[in-house]
Amino acid sequence: SGEPADTVDLLVQSAGANVGLKFYDEQNFNLSTALWYLQLDSELLFVGDAGNTEASRASKRYGLEIAGHYWLNDVWSFDLELAWSRSEFTEDAAGEGEDIEGSVPFVASAGISYAADNDGWHGALRYRHFGARTLDSFDSIEADPTSIVNFGLDYRVRKFNVGIDILNLLDSDDRDIDYFYGSRLSGEPAEGLEDTHFHPVEPLTARVTVDCSY
């Protein structure tokens, strides 16, 4: 329309805190856990239709994170990361709920790795999971969980390395990202229809790399 956009503060105040514990054995395992809290005077929200972010209401987030690493022996190791969080607006707005659109309540990552000393074979099998997440502030529309498995293997000889990465090993058709907003196709009402818009994860893909450093 050519009308000026609403002005917003360039910087806003935030307050956060965290407390954690760490347990470790230099030979076998490393385990850490943390509780955290974050309060923002203005939440930045990504607008899928416009492809940018916009300033929104004040918010708070809190959660628990756990990370562990276990060495089975000199070459095999296993790692696991888990994160739970709760996100909500602390400022009321007419016709809007308290949930933050797109916030992810649970994330998990796990992997098993093989690593020879310097030269030789190196490989990893990794799993990543994003829990179901709300797409509107009333938590009435949810995106399905997303899970993906990746595999990588390479061989190193001195300064030469050749490897292969297999992305989306199980050829999952989960969604990489989801948004909920109004859009219009030919023949639909002028005001458009509100619906879920998504981008699927990339299909099963193999990528080969060769490099040599001097």
Side-chain angles (χ1 to χ4, degrees):
S1 65
E3 301 212 357
D6 295 333
T7 59
V8 296
D9 293 333
L10 178 62
L11 299 174
V12 297
Q13 187 172 358
S14 65
N18 67 79
V19 59
L21 294 172
K22 186 173 184 179
F23 307 90
Y24 67 93
D25 179 328
E26 294 180 355
Q27 300 298 321
N28 296 108
F29 72 91
N30 189 321
L31 177 66
S32 62
T33 181
L35 286 167
W36 59 270
Y37 175 85
L38 177 64
Q39 181 177 333
L40 298 171
D41 279 358
S42 177
E43 179 80 23
L44 276 179
L45 292 182
F46 184 80
V47 183
D49 190 24
N52 57 20
T53 56
E54 66 178 21
S56 185
R57 296 174 279 160
S59 67
K60 68 177 180 182
R61 300 169 182 265
Y62 52 91
L64 169 68
E65 296 181 1
I66 299 174
H69 200 120
Y70 185 77
W71 289 269
L72 302 173
N73 51 43
D74 291 340
V75 294
W76 288 98
S77 64
F78 174 78
D79 64 270
L80 174 68
E81 294 184 5
L82 305 171
W84 295 266
S85 64
R86 169 61 181 164
S87 307
E88 59 188 33
F89 290 112
T90 57
E91 183 180 352
D92 294 332
E96 298 288 345
E98 67 174 14
D99 289 275
I100 299 176
E101 301 96 306
S103 57
V104 184
F106 175 68
V107 177
S109 175
I112 185 167
S113 303
Y114 176 88
D117 290 337
N118 299 319
D119 294 347
W121 291 100
H122 297 74
L125 180 69
R126 301 207 56 81
Y127 169 78
R128 185 183 64 181
H129 174 81
F130 294 96
R133 49 208 179 275
T134 183
L135 298 181
D136 70 328
S137 61
F138 294 101
D139 196 18
S140 61
I141 301 171
E142 278 192 343
D144 293 333
T146 298
S147 298
I148 191 168
V149 176
N150 298 320
F151 173 73
L153 183 67
D154 65 86
Y155 188 78
R156 304 173 188 174
V157 179
R158 297 181 182 177
K159 297 181 179 181
F160 180 79
N161 180 78
V162 59
I164 181 171
D165 292 308
I166 302 179
L167 309 177
N168 194 3
L169 179 66
L170 304 181
D171 201 20
S172 167
D173 59 359
D174 287 351
R175 298 176 178 183
D176 193 33
I177 191 69
D178 295 75
Y179 299 104
F180 183 80
Y181 57 86
S183 63
R184 181 181 181 274
L185 297 175
S186 177
E188 292 183 341
E191 63 274 16
L193 298 174
E194 290 195 330
D195 200 355
T196 301
H197 301 70
F198 66 92
H199 184 283
V201 297
E202 297 295 331
L204 174 66
T205 303
R207 180 176 63 198
V208 176
T209 58
V210 178
D211 63 78
C212 184
S213 57
Y214 293 94

